[in-house]
Amino acid sequence: MPQANTLVIYCSPRLAIYHHLLLLVLFIIIFAGSYSHSAIANTQMTAITDTSKTNHQAVDTSSSSSPSSKELVIGTYICPPFVMQDQFGEYTGLSILLWQQIAEKLELPYTFKNYPLKDLLKAVAAKEIDIGLSCLSITPEREQIIDFSHSFYETHLAIVVKSASHFDTFKSIITNRHLLTIIAIFITAAAIVGGLYYLLEHRVNDKLYSMRSRPAQLIEGFILGLLFITKGPFNYYEFKTLTGRVLTVGLAVFTTLFIASITAVLASTFTIGLINSDIKSPNDLANVSTGAKTASTSSQFLTRHSIAHRQYDTVVEMLDALERGEIDAAVNDDAIVKYEIKTAQQNGKYEKLTVLPYQFEKQNYGIALIEQSPYEESVNRELLQFRQSNEWRNALLEYFKIK
């Protein structure tokens, strides 16, 4: 029976050694590659995990420092009608209404803390509080230490005086230099006009010059001139000469303007005379005893103009001093003193106090902010939007009845 064929490969001993070494090298390369791949995967996974943790921590940090999560401290000081406080401690007023609208839109939690004016400005400058809210005028001096929002109300400084008695009023009128000057102008103009008509008409116009004596006719001429100046031109046909008629036409235009100008000056003179004869403008404050509120822009104005003045902690204290006669005039923001006087007069107080018809030193109210406040842009945006609303206009109308 035939035998099966068998293939036999012969390897020398040296070749077998090479074969074993090659297998060993291949095994090492495969093992090293597998380990390296596993290490890289683990490293990448660790990196991803660490990055995820870092990002999560960053999100948490951002969330914890979000402005909306912080309760703001809003510093105020009482300044009717902008900041007021009722018997239950609740704050009201124009500035409070404005801030409530802003805070609601921005979802800002807050709490109020009351200060005197000087301390309020210091607290904002020192960043002890976040915002100052009241009737704070925006000035270059204050801008050096704190920031302000856009203006939300404009007013000006005003002078408050106590009305004089009837005797003082009569005395001030008859001794008023403006009034005496106007009377002198009237008499001179009447004499000139009357003299011109006398020269032109007294020989030919028996109707206007009916007296026989020259002195009497001169008096008639003066009366004619006085009536012409005060009442306006006569009828064109009252005069007989052509020159007289031409003069009448020319004077008709002049006297119309003259009478209107003199009337305006007289009205102003009598109004001021009825109020107080010593104070005609802010420059006259240097000659009288004057009061102003402590740390206010009115006090700063008086100081800049070298006007000595007494300082009071509140507007009410200042007006009380004026009512008692301790001072002759008080200077403060027009809107504030008018509101205080109007409110008090409803209860029979400050009946003789009057705000003079002068406007000087414009005042712009803003919200005080710490320097580089993160709320400045958003507060300004909401402030400007609310200023255009009907709710703001109605609030101004309610408090002032003039806007």
Side-chain angles (χ1 to χ4, degrees):
M1 183 175 183
Q3 296 181 347
N5 295 328
T6 303
L7 179 62
V8 178
I9 298 175
Y10 173 78
C11 292
S12 65
R14 180 177 296 179
L15 184 59
I17 293 174
Y18 289 152
H19 176 71
H20 291 309
L21 289 175
L22 179 60
L23 292 176
L24 180 60
V25 170
L26 289 175
F27 177 76
I28 291 173
I29 292 173
I30 293 172
F31 177 79
S34 176
Y35 177 80
S36 174
H37 179 75
S38 176
I40 292 173
N42 290 336
T43 302
Q44 291 177 344
M45 185 60 68
T46 302
I48 292 173
T49 304
D50 292 341
T51 302
S52 177
K53 290 180 178 179
T54 302
N55 291 338
H56 182 68
Q57 291 174 354
V59 171
D60 289 345
T61 302
S62 174
S63 177
S64 63
S65 61
S66 175
S68 62
S69 65
K70 175 187 176 183
E71 184 177 65
L72 303 183
V73 179
I74 310 300
T76 66
Y77 86 96
I78 304 302
C79 180
F82 294 90
V83 174
M84 298 177 287
Q85 196 171 20
D86 60 22
Q87 57 182 345
F88 304 106
E90 295 294 328
Y91 287 93
T92 60
L94 285 167
S95 297
I96 300 298
L97 172 64
L98 174 64
W99 173 252
Q100 288 173 341
Q101 294 296 321
I102 293 173
E104 181 179 349
K105 291 288 185 179
L106 300 178
E107 298 182 352
L108 296 174
Y110 60 90
T111 183
F112 288 121
K113 187 175 182 180
N114 197 35
Y115 290 87
L117 173 58
K118 191 173 183 179
D119 294 339
L120 174 61
L121 297 173
K122 288 182 178 179
V124 178
K127 298 185 178 180
E128 296 174 1
I129 58 178
D130 300 288
I131 285 175
L133 188 69
S134 193
C135 51
L136 300 175
S137 297
I138 303 172
T139 66
E141 296 81 6
R142 291 175 179 176
E143 282 276 12
Q144 292 179 356
I145 57 174
I146 60 179
D147 288 337
F148 280 96
S149 69
H150 294 313
S151 171
F152 65 84
Y153 189 82
E154 293 77 37
T155 184
H156 54 269
L157 294 185
I159 302 172
V160 188
V161 297
K162 187 177 182 180
S163 299
S165 63
H166 294 295
F167 175 76
D168 292 333
T169 300
F170 175 75
K171 181 181 176 181
S172 68
I173 291 176
I174 63 176
T175 60
N176 190 292
R177 287 182 294 179
H178 293 285
L179 180 61
L180 296 177
T181 301
I182 292 172
I183 292 175
I185 293 174
F186 263 110
I187 293 174
T188 302
I192 293 174
V193 172
L196 289 174
Y197 279 118
Y198 174 80
L199 294 175
L200 295 172
E201 298 281 331
H202 78 282
R203 288 188 177 92
V204 296
N205 198 328
D206 294 336
K207 183 178 180 180
L208 295 179
Y209 299 94
S210 59
M211 299 295 176
R212 296 302 176 187
S213 65
R214 177 173 294 182
Q217 288 183 345
L218 289 174
I219 293 174
E220 284 182 315
F222 176 76
I223 293 173
L224 175 65
L226 189 61
L227 291 174
F228 205 104
I229 293 297
T230 56
K231 296 181 64 176
F234 278 68
N235 191 318
Y236 178 84
Y237 297 103
E238 293 287 339
F239 303 97
K240 303 297 183 180
T241 64
L242 178 62
T243 306
R245 293 181 176 183
V246 173
L247 181 63
T248 301
V249 174
L251 288 176
V253 178
F254 169 77
T255 53
T256 301
L257 299 175
F258 179 78
I259 292 172
S261 301
I262 293 299
T263 301
V265 173
L266 278 174
S268 175
T269 301
F270 276 111
T271 299
I272 302 303
L274 289 171
I275 296 174
N276 193 297
S277 61
D278 297 324
I279 303 173
K280 303 294 185 296
S281 71
N283 295 329
D284 296 328
L285 293 172
N287 304 319
V288 298
S289 176
T290 306
K293 192 171 179 296
T294 303
S296 65
T297 51
S298 54
S299 178
Q300 294 172 0
F301 170 84
L302 296 173
T303 301
R304 285 198 307 270
H305 290 77
S306 302
I307 299 176
H309 59 282
R310 298 183 184 181
Q311 297 191 29
Y312 298 89
D313 292 334
T314 66
V315 174
V316 173
E317 291 180 10
M318 178 182 66
L319 295 179
D320 286 344
L322 180 61
E323 178 82 358
R324 293 192 299 267
E326 295 178 6
I327 54 177
D328 301 313
V331 180
N332 203 265
D333 294 3
D334 180 78
I336 295 172
V337 292
K338 282 183 176 178
Y339 179 84
E340 287 283 5
I341 292 173
K342 181 188 70 174
T343 304
Q345 286 178 345
Q346 294 175 353
N347 299 320
K349 191 178 179 182
Y350 299 156
E351 293 182 348
K352 292 186 176 182
L353 298 190
T354 307
V355 180
L356 295 182
Y358 301 116
Q359 295 185 4
F360 62 101
E361 201 73 7
K362 185 178 179 181
Q363 306 291 299
N364 292 284
Y365 293 163
I367 298 174
L369 303 163
I370 62 174
E371 290 188 327
Q372 299 179 346
S373 172
Y375 307 99
E376 183 172 356
E377 182 177 351
S378 56
V379 166
N380 279 328
R381 182 177 63 252
E382 299 301 333
L383 182 153
L384 293 175
Q385 289 182 355
F386 186 62
R387 275 198 60 169
Q388 304 301 318
S389 68
N390 290 330
E391 186 176 357
W392 177 251
R393 296 189 188 96
N394 292 336
L396 293 176
L397 179 64
E398 177 185 353
Y399 284 109
F400 296 115
K401 309 296 183 184
I402 57 174
K403 292 186 181 290

